[in-house]
Amino acid sequence: MSPSAAGFREASARAVLDPALREAIRRVTDNLAVRRVQVTAELPHFDVLRDRAKRIKEHTLANLDRYLEQLEAAVRARGGHVHWARDAEEAAACVVRICREAGARRVVKSKSMVTEEVELNRALLEAGIEPVETDLGEFVVQISGDRPSHLIAPIIHKRREDVAELFRRHLGTPADAPVPVLTAAARAHLRQAFLQADVGITGANFLVAETGTVVLVENEGNARMVTSLPRVHVAVAGIEKVLPRLADLAVFLPLLVRSATGQRLSAYVSLLTGPRGPGERDGPDAFHLVLVDNGRSRVLADPELREALQCVRCSACLNVCPVYERAGGHAYGSVYSGPIGAVLTPALTGGRGLVDLPFASSLCGACRDVCPVRIDIPGMLVALRARAGQTAEARWERRAARVAAWLLCRPRLYRWASVAARVLEPVVRRVPVGALRRWARGRDLPRLSPTPFHRAARR
Amino acid sequence: MPDRPHRVALFVTCLVDQFAPSVARGTLQVLERVGLRAEVPGGQTCCGQPLLNDGFPDQAARLARRWVETFEPFDAVVAPSGSCVATVREFYPRVLAGSPWEGRARAVAQRTYELSEFLVRVLGVEDVGARFPHRVALHASCHQLRSLGAADCARAVLRRVAGLELVDLAHPEACCGFGGVFSVKFPEVSEAMLRDKLQDVSATTAEVLVSTDLGCLLHLAGGLSRKGVRLRCLHLAEVLGGS
Ligand code: SF4
């Protein structure tokens, strides 16, 4: 997570000058959004599922301590180990320790946002352990030293030619290789990694408190390899991922998969409960669950932002966001991009990106409309703006707001001020400053009407 | 459908007051045509949305209290803006939460409507007897569309305007990129959104671009005139009121 204090303006301004980026993003997001609409419309009770999911999440978060303890007990009862990590450093250090104790030199990973969040790969490399990303998109991110720019399509910002060139350099494929050749090369490369790895690291889409189960939703089958070939499986998950009962998956799986990729069901859904048991043929010798807080309990204690913890990372909100589409994921300066990223980043970090991310939205509300758990993202962005309004950076705006409110609460004075504004208008139009100048970059300034309505009405 | 209100107030909105009084006059005319003489309470100014969206809910709350006080004597409040109505409905209860004002705000918010929403959903009127022989493209604001769920009301009343031909945009639900403070904090992204919206409009045969919200309309008009494109931009109330 590279910080970006006032970075969104610059990064988004650069992004809008790159039509290829826009095209690349749009091709994927439009496709995902169209399929989402199709497959959600198929389920007549989709909105009922959404309401149900919302209630389950609210209930679970309100009783999170209890469900986490239940989860821990269930995982232990099945022979797994549970670790608690307060922050990113603790989480990364914990995984490194597990890998060291397992004598691991190489580890394979499946796609996981939380391991990006805690910068696990960096910690592993520093400890002399080589992580290999096995999700195709994440693999490309890794070999190009890049960062994911979308929750489920991490290389949405890359064109096919970029990927072909990367593969030519790293895997020796021909420069003009078609996609099947590229994927075959990646598969051959990754197969070696799977066979050589001592530890497999995954995230978790859901954790089931009742049974101690880790649920992984994927399409490439790599997560299944990651969790079955190496001796040790480490699942890293944010504490908000817990669901009370196995039956809750009947609500959340269709919501997640249909909202995310627009499939009816993903190619693979793995329910993993503990290490290989006696008499079982598959599975790792040891299973570790690392539960990461890293700001989540702060968000939980925050009534205005708590709802953000209900997010299932489906990416539907990104795929309909007109700002994300044009700014691209990297502009958000965080692993979490798009509308929910603009909430999560300042929320989880206690304020990073607060001065710009909450404003990186026209508040059009498309995100709220599609969110499978009905998260009020615009409402939270407005709440975060209020916090931005209290920062030192906003002291002039704060003063201006106070004056404006004072004036607008005095209708008569305001009507007189309107007259004065008309006297000043020609000057302001000639040399627009501040916000007016930023408006006037690409749009003509509107003209005040010669007489305001209220004044004309009084005459 | 709610009862037909007796005392109706017009909330002019600050943008209409300052930039397009004809929108307020149009609204009054439409209401008159359907048999309602709306009053224009003198104490009104702005609903406070800009202050709220800029990050100053306390200042917005001052305006919200004033607004509630000004409009609560009426049976219904009508505004030519989906956006301001959305602010009253969605955000007043929040910025006034925990005070006696919250309940008062909820009560008056329930009786506050955007113009076309009021016509269709309260009065049950789609045909207001207007005439406007032009091809029209409608940009319902995002608030009109998503917060109020009333884009169809605007479409319904336009369809019944004599001589008017409503042409379809390819992406009617796409935001025009205004978003108040957003348009000046991130002008590059905002302009990129505007460009696409205008392209969508230009690809149609529309002679007039109509919106339910003056904010969007000023943004769209500013983009058009910068590009040197001559296309009339009118507010829904101006079309219906036939001013
Ligand atoms: S906020 Fe909602 S729509 Fe966006 S990723 Fe999370 S669950 Fe999906």
Side-chain angles (χ1 to χ4, degrees), chain B residues 218-232:
Chain B
L218 295 173
H219 191 233
L220 293 160
L224 283 167
S225 77
R226 176 59 58 91
K227 286 208 315 190
V229 178
R230 248 181 256 265
L231 185 83
R232 262 172 96 196

Side-chain angles (χ1 to χ4, degrees), chain A residues 370-391:
Chain A
V370 299
C371 176
V373 268
R374 299 191 191 280
I375 296 176
D376 181 9
I377 298 174
M380 284 193 290
L381 289 172
V382 172
L384 282 165
R385 288 178 181 190
R387 297 178 193 192
Q390 296 306 310
T391 57

Side-chain angles (χ1 to χ4, degrees), chain A residues 36 151 256 259-260 307-308 310-320 337 339-341 344 367-368 370-377 380:
Chain A
R36 179 188 54 75
L151 285 173
L256 171 63
S259 302
E307 213 185 344
Q310 298 171 2
C311 171
V312 296
R313 311 279 191 269
C314 73
S315 85
C317 58
L318 279 68
N319 299 333
V320 296
S337 56
I340 190 63
L344 279 175
C367 48
R368 179 172 59 183
V370 299
C371 176
V373 268
R374 299 191 191 280
I375 296 176
D376 181 9
I377 298 174
M380 284 193 290

